Amino acid sequence: MIKTTVKNEGFHGRLYSKNLEKEKVVITITGSDGGIKNASIIANFYKQNGIDSLAVGFFKTKETPNSLALIPVEYILNAIIWLKKQGYQKIGIDSLSKGSELALLTAIYCKDVSFMIMRSPSYFVSEGLTSKGQPSGTSCWSYKDIGIDFTGYKIREFDTKKEFFAHKELTLRKFNDDKVINRNSLIQINKISCPILMFSSLNDTVWESEKAANIIMKELNESNQKVSQHKTYKYISHFMLPKISFRMKMLFRIERKYSKKCKLTREEMNKTTLSWIEGV
């Protein structure tokens, strides 16, 4: 494993490399969970299946901000530049949740993105979050030190513990549903040239990921992106990781009640991911 630093390479990452040919590599990023742990879970999935991967942490690491606010898109752009210097020919991005916004923005600013996998995606730029998990009043993301237009939260104070005890699971739908979308925050999917594989859940308790994926898919179809795909599942939560920890499983009713079915869903999702990547 090769570790990089923001100071030296412009991003914080861990490269898992086995292949001498360096044909493909996948950058893995997650969302408001922060840190690099879950990005490393996705990266390890690729490593175990013979695909090089680079887990990137963009906030809540030792070298990155504590808040998910005004995070530079340049973190991922710098990672791509670094991977190209390592000799990789095709560079993909596998993103989860809010990380999908960052992945889409990266693909707009950089044409060196060869393919993307998005789990529980969003189609617009959201307001950021403070280190205490409250609306930041700023964008999640910045580019060239300027905040990118965003859609804000209608509710200005989050009580996620109250929602958890009320619903007996992690749910953020109260905060994410029925937003008035700022048109300037819509991500310009028509500017993305690489194919995209999306996964969404019918039992998403964080936001309407199926709706978001359908919107993205419609725009991709209009751009004649025939290789792109969207698969939605009933038995899986918002955290569509290749595997899920016991602790995270306890956060979601669907994962607790239908544990075996969720496991089978993940197995099918993983097979689909590997098969699709092989063809792009």
Side-chain angles (χ1 to χ4, degrees), residues 27-30 58 72-73 76-77 80 91-111 113-119 121-122 124-125 141 187-189 191-197 216:
I27 297 170
T28 64
I29 53 177
T30 56
F58 52 83
V73 178
I76 312 302
L77 298 177
I80 291 171
I91 301 170
I93 304 176
D94 188 326
S95 60
L96 170 68
S97 193
K98 274 184 179 285
S100 64
E101 300 172 25
L102 181 54
L104 290 169
L105 292 170
T106 300
I108 289 174
Y109 296 130
C110 178
K111 299 307 177 186
V113 178
S114 300
F115 57 91
M116 288 197 293
I117 298 93
M118 297 198 301
R119 308 162 188 264
S122 176
F124 59 89
V125 173
W141 321 108
I187 299 172
Q188 296 174 295
I189 306 299
K191 290 188 175 181
I192 295 172
S193 57
C194 69
I196 300 175
L197 173 64
I216 294 169

Side-chain angles (χ1 to χ4, degrees), residues 122-171:
S122 176
Y123 63 100
F124 59 89
V125 173
S126 302
E127 181 176 0
L129 298 169
T130 68
S131 58
K132 295 182 179 180
Q134 300 299 313
S136 67
T138 63
S139 178
C140 272
W141 321 108
S142 69
Y143 180 60
K144 295 184 177 179
D145 296 323
I146 298 174
I148 297 171
D149 287 327
F150 66 96
T151 288
Y153 293 103
K154 293 169 67 175
I155 298 174
R156 302 310 300 169
E157 186 174 343
F158 294 174
D159 191 338
T160 54
K161 289 184 179 179
K162 181 179 179 180
E163 291 298 301
F164 181 87
F165 289 118
H167 297 275
K168 301 297 187 292
E169 65 178 330
L170 175 64
T171 175

